[in-house]
Amino acid sequence: QVQLVESGGGLVQAGGSLRLSCAVSGRTFSRYAVAWFRQAPGKEREFVATISYNGGVTDYADSVKGRFTISRDNAKNTVFLQMNSLKPEETAVYYCAARTYYSSASPGEYPYWGQGTQVTVSS
């Protein structure tokens, strides 16, 4: 079993930055690709970013390219999402998810999920 715990959410003004963390435990972390998704009230869960098991491949939603950066530290079993130039419409619960080896932008491809962390961007 794999457990994921997100942290780092909070309230930030538009244009500000936050760094989310996803701590992964339970199995060999280096075998897992990890992704970030977000879900705003009344909306479907949407893909934000993903990183492959070895960090060699990353992918981003078009809406966050150039502003968000996903990275991982396999020694610390942690994946990070650096979010810059945040916008009010990015207010959502942010979730990290894991699957073996290769990344995907589809939430249905991920069997393991964290509980989420709230990000609120004020205007």
Side-chain angles (χ1 to χ4, degrees), residues 2-123:
V2 177
Q3 294 85 38
L4 297 91
V5 178
E6 303 94 337
S7 62
L11 174 65
V12 64
Q13 289 187 333
S17 299
L18 281 176
R19 189 193 196 202
L20 304 184
S21 298
C22 175
V24 183
S25 62
R27 291 282 180 90
T28 306
F29 176 67
S30 60
R31 296 179 182 175
Y32 286 85
V34 176
W36 287 95
F37 295 85
R38 63 189 179 191
Q39 189 167 18
K43 295 187 176 181
E44 293 187 354
R45 194 166 297 189
E46 67 171 348
F47 168 72
V48 176
T50 186
I51 189 165
S52 62
Y53 70 102
N54 62 359
V57 178
T58 58
D59 190 23
Y60 298 89
D62 288 343
S63 61
V64 307
K65 283 180 181 177
R67 299 185 297 117
F68 289 16
T69 303
I70 190 170
S71 61
R72 66 190 293 155
D73 185 339
N74 281 2
K76 296 182 178 180
N77 287 14
T78 303
V79 171
F80 305 98
L81 183 68
Q82 177 67 44
M83 306 187 295
N84 298 328
S85 303
L86 282 160
K87 305 174 182 180
E89 56 265 37
E90 295 180 312
T91 294
V93 177
Y94 283 69
Y95 298 90
C96 63
R99 69 189 300 265
T100 49
Y101 293 114
Y102 299 107
S103 306
S104 171
S106 172
E109 297 288 332
Y110 290 84
Y112 306 109
W113 290 81
Q115 293 301 305
T117 185
Q118 176 70 46
V119 171
T120 303
V121 185
S122 63
S123 57

